[in-house]
Structure formats: C-alpha cells, structure tokens
Amino acid sequence: MSVGLNYYLILAAVLFTIGLVGLLIRRNVLVMLMCVELMLNASNLTFVAFASKLKDVGGQADVFFVLVVAAAEVVVGLAIIVSIYRKRLGATADDLSSLKG
Amino acid sequence: MKLVFLIPAFPLLGALSLIFFGRKLKEPLAGYIATLAVGMSFVFSVVVWLAFLGYHSSVFVEHLFVWINTGSFKVDAGLRVDPLSLTMVLFVTGVSTLIHFYSVEYMHKDIDFPKFFLYLNLFVTSMIILVLGNNMLLTFVGWEGVGVCSYFLISFWHERPSAASAGKKAMIVNRIADVGFLLSMFLVIHYVHSLNYSAIFAAAPHLSKSVVAAIVMLAFVGAMGKSAQVPLYGWLADAMEGPTPVSALIHAATMVTAGVYLMVRLSPVLALSPDIAHVITIIGILTAFMAAMAATAQDDIKKVLAYSTVSQLGYMFVGVGTGAYAAAIFLMVTHAFYKALLFLSSGSVIHGMHDEQNLKKMGALRIVMPITAVAFFTGWMAIAGVPPFAGFWSKGDVLLGAFGESWLVWIIGLATAGVTSYYMGREYCLAFLGKARWMPATVKGKKKSAKAVSHSPHIDPHEPSYKMMIPVVTLAVLALLGGLLNLPFASSLKFLDNFLKPAIAASPSYLHSSALTQIVLGSLDAIFAIGGGLIAYFIWSKTFERPALEFTLFKNAWYIDKTGDVAIARSSTKLAEVTDGVIEPKVIDGAVVGVTKLVLAVGILIRKLASGFVRREALVIAGGLVILIIIGGLRGGL
C-alpha cells in the first residue's frame, strides 16, 4: 500500500518549520544557508507529493526549477560567505549589518 | 503663368545658397548673387504679368500642394495671381532689386556682408509669399517671415544696444498686433471653414454683419502693427537703427505696406462693413497727421523719413477706409518709389558724412553731392505732391476719396500734405542748403564713426560711386514719372484703376466726381504742397536753429511711445521682476524643492526598516507569510 498524501505534507511542514526556526534563531551564516535549503526542499516535497496525487507532471517539473535556483543560490551565497569569512573570521549574521539603511 | 512659382523660388534659392556658401563667397560676390536672385524674380514677375494680360480670367491660382489636411479643415498652398498680387509683386521685386544692388556698395567692408544679403533675400521671399499666397494662412506665413527678417535686419548691428533693443521692440509690437490677425483667421475658419480668399469672398455676403465686422477689425489690428498705425507706430522710428538700405526696403517701400495690402486684399469683405471702414479712415488720418507733425521736429535724417513713412501709411489707410482701394495701392507703389529714393539718397549722405545722421551737423551738401541733392529734391517734390511728380497724382486720388467721405478728413489730409512738404523741405534745407556745419572743428563723430574721425580730422563728404548712384537715379526717374501709372485725365489713362478693378471691391460712387471738383481739389493739393515747401525754404535755408518751431511734443512723437513705455513696458518689467524675485524662487522652485524634500523625508522614515539584521528581516518575511496564509485561508473559507 502507498503512503497517504497527508504524511508527505506533514513531513514537508515539519521540515519547513525546522528550516524557518533554524533560520530565525541560529546566527551562523552557514547554518542559516542550510536552513534555507531545508525550506526549499520542504516545498519540493509538497510539489512532488501533489504531482503524484493529481497525476500532473507539471509539479515535478517545477521541482527542477527550484533545484536549479537553489543551486545558483548556494553558489552565490557560499561565495559571499567565504568572502565574509576571509575578512572577518567568525562573524555571525548579526554582526553583518553593513547593509543598514 | 505656370512659372509663377519661380517668383518666390529665386530669392529662396539665393537665400539657401547664401546660407551654405555665404562665408566662402565673401563680398562682393554674395551681394551680386542675391541681387541676381531678386532680379530674376522681377524678370519672371514681368513674364507672369505679360502672360496674365492675355489671360481670360481675372484670377489664376497655381496650386502647389496640400498643406494642411485634417478632415473637415483643409488648406492648400497655392499662389494667387490677380491684378492686386501682380501689382504688389512687380513693385516689390523691382524696388528690391534696386536696393539689393545699392546695398552691395553700401555694406562694403561689413564683416557680416553675406549674412546681410541672406536676410534680404529671405525677406523678399517672405514678402512674395505674403502677397502671392492664395489663403490667409499662407499670407500669414509671409507676414511672420517678413517680421522675423525685419527683426534680424533692424538689429543687424546687434553689438549696438540701441539696435538690439529696437529689433526686440519691433518684434514685440508686431507680435501683439499679430494676435489680431490670428483671431481674425480663427473667426474665418469657424464661419467659412476655409481660408482661401476666393472662398472668403464668396461666403462673406452670407455672414452676419457683426461677424464680418469682427473679422475685418481684427485683421486691421494686425495691419496696424505691421503698418505702424497709431498707437503702434513707435517701433518704426526705432527701426531706423538698421542699415539704411533696410530702412528703404523693409521699413518704407515694402514690408510696412503689408498691412495696407491685407486690407485691400480683404476689400470685398471690408466693403460689407462700413463701420469698420470708418474706424480705418479715422485711424489712418490720425496717423497721417500725428506722424507728419512728429516729423517736423526730428534731427535725425532717417527719423524724419521714418515718421514720414508712418504718415504716408496713414494716407494709404485713409484710401482703404474711404473705399479708394486703387488709390491706396497707387499711393503704395509711388510711395515705394519716392520713399526708397529718399532713404537711399539719405544713405548716400550718411555714407559720405561717415555715419553722421544728425541734420544739424550737415548743411551745404549740395555743393559736394550735387546728384544726391537733385535726387533728394526729386523725392521731396514727389512726397510733397507737387505736380507733375508721382506723389501729386497718388495723394490726389486718396484725398479725393477723403473728400467724398467727409470734409473733416479731407481738410486734415490736405493740411497734412502741407506739413509733409514742410518737413521734407526742412530736411532738404538742413542737409543740402545753408552753411556747412561739418568743418573739422564742429565735427563730432557718433557711433561707429568715432574711430574714423579721430585719425582723419577732415571729413570730406563726397558723391558715392556709380554703383550707388544707379539705383538712386533710377528711383528718381520713377518718382518723377510714377504718376503715369494712373493719370486722371481720361478713364483710359487710369491704367492702375482699370487693371486692379477685378481684384478689389467696387469703389464708392463719389470717387467718380466731376472734372471740376477734381481740378479744384488738385489745385488745392498743389498749393498746399508748394506752400509748405516754400515756408520750409524760407525758414530753414538760412538757419538751422529754430527751437521755437521744433516742439518737444513733436520731437517725442506725441509721447505715445513714452506713455506706452511707462504704462505697459515699465509695469510689465515690474511684473517680470516680481515673477523673477518672488514667484520663481518661492512658488516654482518651492514646488520643485518641496517634492525632493518630501521624498527625502519619506526615505529617512523608511530606511529605519532596513536594520541590516538579516534574521530580523527573515522574521518579518516569515511573519508576512503567516499573515498571507491566514488571509488566504479565511478567503478560501477554510
């Protein structure tokens, strides 16, 4: 027997919440980036779940777009993080307020 | 007849070639090219005229192209050949050619020599478009064209502040009057739906009286500015700041007569509105008289002629107002001859005197400039109306019209004729007779001549070269014989009257007065002309200082200009200062600066939100997401 849709959705919600909470409470930039990835994948999971349930391949196709965007985001994000670490070792997200208006 | 487009094309071509190659052509080639262009234009005017004499209809319209086409309103660009426009074109191009030729020598050694001829050619083009245009809009194009050329040429020596401001004054006064012309056109568009003269003439009898009156009156306002009628005449006296050939061509012979031309052109409409015709007569006779009185007290050789031009234009409007349209045109043509002659000979005098224009510093010039003196004398006789000179016949026709209209107008006109002869006599005596007042000790150079005088203690007035004499002598002959155009002795001798008849409204019956009346009136004209001249001779040939006879009122031209200066120019200057000092910085700048300040304030407020703390911003995003989900849920009826 197959696993019901609700389980997928609950798992995705849990993953998303973990990611969101992690993003909000952790100060380590690297970990925050990982949390963003977690949230993206939570949404991917819902896409795939609904695609399977509704027999619509469009949802699965969307996942590819999300993956591509996530990969690009990781590239840019990691590059920024690396350059920040080179300048100020051990900096947390709260120290990086140079974009303050 | 198909060649009519060549008449404006030649001067235009001349102007264009001077725009592109003027600097390279230098003098005198640029001047000769310009003269040739206008000369060709004259030749083709004659060709078209000869062709027209054998033409079966009294109007020929050469359609050029559709100019404006906006649904119900359509304007064609076309050239209207009829007796009126032909008469105008013939004398405009003819006199222009002579003055162009004269200018080649007169403008010798001017740094902007090619530019001068560029403007002159452009002016002739515009003037031809003005008279040949087959609709009011095309006429208006020419009207504005001559206006702008007049502006360029008045302030041709723009490094002189007086010349620059005289140009501006001419421009502004004419713009004010042009509003009248424009409004007149708007009325015509509204009621006739076409600006073509033929259509206007056909529709005019069916329009209501008040509409016709408004159209004609507004057009006359335009004409008042262009033709320097009271009270808009101050600019013409100031326009004498331009080079003398310009004064001769634009501010005497051609452009200033455009207003008279317009009113004669509209004569079929004007004839329907006798009230406005009376207004025109009154303004005309007032101008003629006031300007003639102003001319009696001027010291500047050109200012006398300027006021004299204004006065003569007044006569022309008397002709228009009394229905003597042919007489107005006759006076216009002969006036072009003798006034151009007077200006050109005064140009020779100014040239010979090293730019001295003050009559009080001349005298006895007949000895050193005999030909010019004779030419000027001819001009005096012609403008005074001494028979058999041209002015006698043309002014006689106008006064005949005035006589039929009202005794008062006629008497003022007659008195003005006497005054005309007097002030011209005064000018002639001061310049050419009496004792020389230009001996080295008394010479005081003025304007540009200051330098010339300082290194040459003696000025020696001399006849100009033959190049300047040819046009002057030609014009002198024309001023003498111009009357042949329209002799009153037999109806077959009234060439101009007969020629113009199809193009203008029928003249009132009183113009065909009995031979006896005409002889009596003519003799009176002659007596006044000769009398005025003799008085001037006895007073001014011996002495040059008679302050008692040079009233300050007349010297200042009745203070009309000064009044306008105080009432309008000063107050508008004040207004300009207020707008500059208060409205501009406070209101306009205030609004502009206010917007920037508002944006800045909002920016300062908003940027507080950008704290730079990534996590807080993430929280805001998350919070917003939650709110969106809740709203979406509520809407979805979850």
Side-chain angles (χ1 to χ4, degrees):
Chain A
M1 71 171 255
S2 59
V3 183
L5 176 67
N6 282 352
Y7 296 102
Y8 288 110
L9 292 184
I10 290 165
L11 176 60
V14 168
L15 279 175
F16 190 88
T17 313
I18 291 170
L20 182 62
V21 171
L23 183 75
L24 292 179
I25 63 169
R26 294 299 297 264
R27 290 184 205 170
N28 188 316
V29 186
L30 206 56
V31 174
M32 285 169 72
L33 195 67
M34 289 158 67
C35 290
V36 172
E37 291 300 312
L38 211 52
M39 291 192 306
L40 283 172
N41 280 313
S43 59
N44 276 349
L45 189 57
T46 54
F47 268 125
V48 176
F50 276 111
S52 163
K53 171 81 180 173
L54 301 174
K55 305 273 186 272
D56 183 358
V57 80
Q60 301 195 18
D62 280 339
V63 172
F64 283 104
F65 285 99
V66 175
L67 286 178
V68 170
V69 171
E73 182 219 313
V74 166
V75 169
V76 175
L78 280 179
I80 293 172
I81 289 165
V82 168
S83 70
I84 288 171
Y85 273 117
R86 280 198 184 146
K87 259 177 127 178
R88 310 160 61 169
L89 200 61
T92 68
D94 288 359
D95 300 330
L96 305 173
S97 58
S98 56
L99 280 178
K100 186 172 183 251
Chain B
M1 298 279 276
K2 288 274 171 200
L3 295 175
V4 63
F5 75 93
L6 285 173
I7 300 176
F10 271 108
L12 184 64
L13 203 66
L16 286 176
S17 57
L18 284 175
I19 287 179
F20 292 115
F21 308 114
R23 290 260 163 230
K24 286 188 192 126
L25 288 170
K26 303 235 170 58
E27 61 173 295
L29 196 55
Y32 286 128
I33 286 177
T35 311
L36 185 72
V38 182
M40 290 303 286
S41 181
F42 175 64
V43 168
F44 278 98
S45 306
V46 173
V47 169
V48 170
W49 172 57
L50 291 175
F52 184 79
L53 288 180
Y55 192 62
H56 58 83
S57 166
S58 65
V59 180
F60 170 82
V61 174
E62 170 76 357
H63 179 258
L64 296 178
F65 54 88
V66 178
W67 183 16
I68 296 173
N69 192 357
T70 56
S72 60
F73 180 62
K74 197 172 154 213
V75 178
D76 289 344
L79 301 177
R80 181 187 172 97
V81 181
D82 69 357
L84 178 60
S85 62
L86 266 177
T87 312
M88 293 293 294
V89 141
L90 278 169
F91 94 80
V92 165
T93 52
V95 173
S96 296
T97 310
L98 292 174
I99 294 175
H100 271 70
F101 187 70
Y102 178 92
S103 309
V104 175
E105 187 70 15
Y106 190 86
M107 297 306 286
H108 179 57
K109 285 197 177 144
D110 196 287
I111 25 169
D112 286 325
F113 186 85
K115 199 159 87 180
F116 180 78
F117 285 94
L118 161 64
Y119 292 153
L120 276 193
N121 264 358
L122 208 57
F123 165 78
V124 175
T125 313
S126 310
M127 190 70 202
I128 292 170
I129 290 173
L130 194 164
V131 294
L132 280 181
N134 76 329
N135 58 63
M136 282 181 88
L137 200 56
L138 207 55
T139 297
F140 189 68
V141 168
W143 188 272
E144 292 302 304
V146 293
V148 78
C149 291
S150 154
Y151 164 74
F152 286 149
L153 287 164
I154 293 171
S155 32
F156 186 71
W157 289 318
H158 49 76
E159 61 274 16
R160 289 209 311 243
S162 56
S165 69
K168 278 185 278 185
K169 185 172 176 183
M171 196 72 176
I172 291 166
V173 172
N174 274 299
R175 284 302 75 67
I176 293 168
D178 287 348
V179 174
F181 194 145
L182 278 172
L183 292 176
S184 170
M185 274 203 288
F186 296 158
L187 281 180
V188 170
I189 292 170
H190 186 75
Y191 287 101
V192 185
H193 308 293
S194 169
L195 287 169
N196 272 16
Y197 288 121
S198 313
I200 297 172
F201 300 156
H206 310 296
L207 296 177
S208 76
K209 272 247 183 289
S210 51
V211 170
V212 170
I215 289 172
V216 176
M217 188 60 215
L218 287 168
F220 180 57
V221 170
M224 278 165 73
K226 198 55 110 196
S227 294
Q229 296 299 292
V230 168
L232 301 175
Y233 68 166
W235 70 269
L236 190 59
D238 286 8
M240 297 302 122
E241 287 290 338
T244 308
V246 169
S247 312
L249 178 60
I250 300 184
H251 305 114
T254 55
M255 184 191 85
V256 288
T257 62
V260 183
Y261 164 77
L262 181 71
M263 297 324 288
V264 177
R265 172 53 86 203
L266 293 176
S267 62
V269 188
L270 175 60
L272 299 169
S273 186
D275 296 341
I276 303 300
H278 291 319
V279 173
I280 294 176
T281 312
I282 292 166
I283 298 264
I285 196 70
L286 214 60
T287 307
F289 179 70
M290 289 174 73
M293 294 313 284
T296 60
Q298 302 298 318
D299 283 341
D300 187 313
I301 186 167
K302 283 173 75 183
K303 285 266 164 81
V304 178
L305 296 177
Y307 284 112
S308 147
T309 305
V310 175
S311 168
Q312 297 286 312
L313 290 166
Y315 270 120
M316 290 177 211
F317 277 114
V318 171
V320 170
T322 54
Y325 306 113
I329 296 292
F330 185 29
L331 181 59
M332 185 196 290
V333 174
T334 52
H335 172 257
F337 294 156
Y338 57 66
K339 190 51 67 64
L341 165 68
L342 286 167
F343 264 115
L344 292 190
S345 18
S346 74
S348 300
V349 169
I350 295 166
H351 206 62
M353 295 288 293
H354 296 283
D355 296 334
E356 180 58 67
Q357 301 194 0
N358 193 336
L359 286 167
K360 298 286 167 72
K361 292 175 181 165
M362 296 181 183
L365 289 176
R366 76 182 181 289
I367 302 162
V368 283
M369 308 175 81
I371 303 176
T372 304
V374 171
F376 204 96
F377 183 79
T378 313
W380 169 24
M381 292 295 111
I383 194 173
V386 173
F389 292 87
F392 172 70
W393 311 107
S394 52
K395 200 183 285 177
D397 281 4
V398 169
L399 286 175
L400 190 62
F403 183 70
E405 172 91 4
S406 110
W407 277 86
L408 189 62
V409 174
W410 175 71
I411 287 172
I412 299 175
L414 194 59
T416 305
V419 176
T420 306
S421 183
Y422 165 77
Y423 67 69
M424 284 313 300
R426 171 177 174 270
E427 181 168 36
Y428 178 80
C429 294
L430 285 177
F432 293 98
L433 304 182
K435 291 201 178 70
R437 297 182 291 275
W438 36 268
M439 295 307 282
T442 60
V443 165
K444 279 194 189 118
K446 169 176 140 182
K447 294 170 188 163
K448 283 187 164 178
S449 63
K451 268 181 247 153
V453 170
S454 62
H455 62 74
S456 62
H458 300 273
I459 57 165
D460 54 328
H462 52 278
E463 285 287 14
S465 74
Y466 71 96
K467 283 182 193 160
M468 277 164 79
M469 292 314 299
I470 290 173
V472 172
V473 173
T474 315
L475 283 168
V477 173
L478 288 171
L480 178 61
L481 302 178
L484 292 178
L485 284 173
N486 209 17
L487 290 175
F489 303 120
S491 66
S492 61
L493 284 176
K494 294 186 174 179
F495 301 111
L496 197 64
D497 273 5
N498 297 333
F499 183 58
L500 284 174
K501 201 165 270 170
I504 55 179
S507 298
S509 56
Y510 54 73
L511 286 181
H512 311 290
S513 31
S514 69
L516 183 67
T517 324
Q518 294 201 24
I519 290 170
V520 172
L521 291 184
S523 322
L524 277 172
D525 292 349
I527 290 167
F528 266 76
I530 296 170
L534 284 178
I535 292 171
Y537 178 79
F538 286 125
I539 296 176
W540 294 104
S541 61
K542 297 286 186 299
T543 173
F544 66 99
E545 288 293 357
R546 281 285 173 86
L549 289 173
E550 295 169 336
F551 301 104
T552 330
L553 176 66
F554 300 149
K555 200 161 245 168
N556 290 293
W558 302 79
Y559 290 105
I560 284 193
D561 228 30
K562 289 235 166 69
T563 314
D565 187 43
V566 173
I568 299 165
R570 296 265 172 84
S571 54
S572 50
T573 309
K574 277 266 153 57
L575 184 67
E577 275 164 7
V578 168
T579 47
D580 180 51
V582 179
I583 296 180
E584 155 71 17
K586 299 265 163 67
V587 179
I588 298 179
D589 274 12
V592 174
V593 172
V595 169
T596 61
K597 281 196 174 145
L598 183 71
V599 171
L600 196 67
V602 172
I604 288 170
L605 272 179
I606 287 179
R607 83 173 182 202
K608 297 224 168 92
L609 294 177
S611 59
F613 290 112
V614 180
R615 294 192 303 146
R616 187 199 286 176
E617 280 148 29
L619 183 61
V620 170
I621 294 172
L625 188 66
V626 169
I627 292 169
L628 278 180
I629 288 171
I630 290 170
I631 292 173
L634 289 178
R635 290 197 142 201
L638 200 74

